[in-house]
Amino acid sequence: MELMTRIRKWFAELLPARKEGTDHQQLHTWMQHMDQRQEAFQKMNVDELKKLTDNELVMAVQARAERHVDEFGMEQAEQLAGFLDLSEPQRTAYTLYWYENEVMNGGLCQFLTNSSRMAAPYVSGALKAVGAEEHRQLFDDFIRKHEIDLDDLSLFGDEEEPDAARFEGCPFDEFDDSFYELETLEHYVSDYLKAHMDEL
């Protein structure tokens, strides 16, 4: 689930619909800059992290957490081990990054079927930790009402073969529409991270 892999995939999907005159060199330069930035994030000390903007801080912590998880391996069990080995603030940021990213990209249903769902049991606690109460209430109410077991999402299938039958009668669209009306999680996460700088 490397961050840069996701970004590249997103750009690849955009290119067929690009406007005439798109500067491919400019895109290539931007991607190189992002790669360099990702590497720079890995080497930053606490004092350097403190100087980042809120957006950059969230990106830096996500990049570092992502690298840590991937160093354990790419198999599901290895990814989970890496995830559980993160510090609590890193795990919180990682959880909320993938939760928000997946819901914004394809809805809660996508989050529950993609590999990032390993973070699903931690979403409520992460939302509480950062103080995003409206988000937490929405998530908790939906999970409780529809009796979704976040510790065993195998009934939903996976990203290769989602179990459509399991989704019938589960109003994911209603959840997604309510989610999209809430403010983004970035400032909650950045404020939380700034209070836990020594654990990043």
Side-chain angles (χ1 to χ4, degrees), residues 8-17 105:
R8 287 192 179 92
K9 181 180 176 188
W10 179 67
F11 270 108
E13 291 168 354
L14 284 181
L15 285 177
N105 186 45

Side-chain angles (χ1 to χ4, degrees), residues 1 6 76 79 102 110-111 113-119 159:
M1 293 188 299
R6 291 283 181 134
Q76 184 177 357
Q79 290 270 297
E102 296 283 24
Q110 177 171 297
F111 176 64
T113 56
N114 280 358
S115 56
S116 55
R117 71 184 180 182
M118 70 179 179
E159 55 194 325

Side-chain angles (χ1 to χ4, degrees), residues 87-133:
S87 69
E88 187 171 338
Q90 290 173 323
R91 191 163 50 249
T92 295
Y94 184 98
T95 296
L96 295 184
Y97 171 83
W98 284 110
Y99 170 62
E100 185 170 42
N101 182 279
E102 296 283 24
V103 175
M104 292 300 290
N105 186 45
L108 181 62
C109 180
Q110 177 171 297
F111 176 64
L112 297 178
T113 56
N114 280 358
S115 56
S116 55
R117 71 184 180 182
M118 70 179 179
Y122 301 89
V123 169
S124 182
L127 291 169
K128 183 176 181 179
V130 302
E133 281 303 307

Side-chain angles (χ1 to χ4, degrees), residues 51 134 145:
K51 294 176 183 176
E134 285 185 284
K145 181 177 180 180

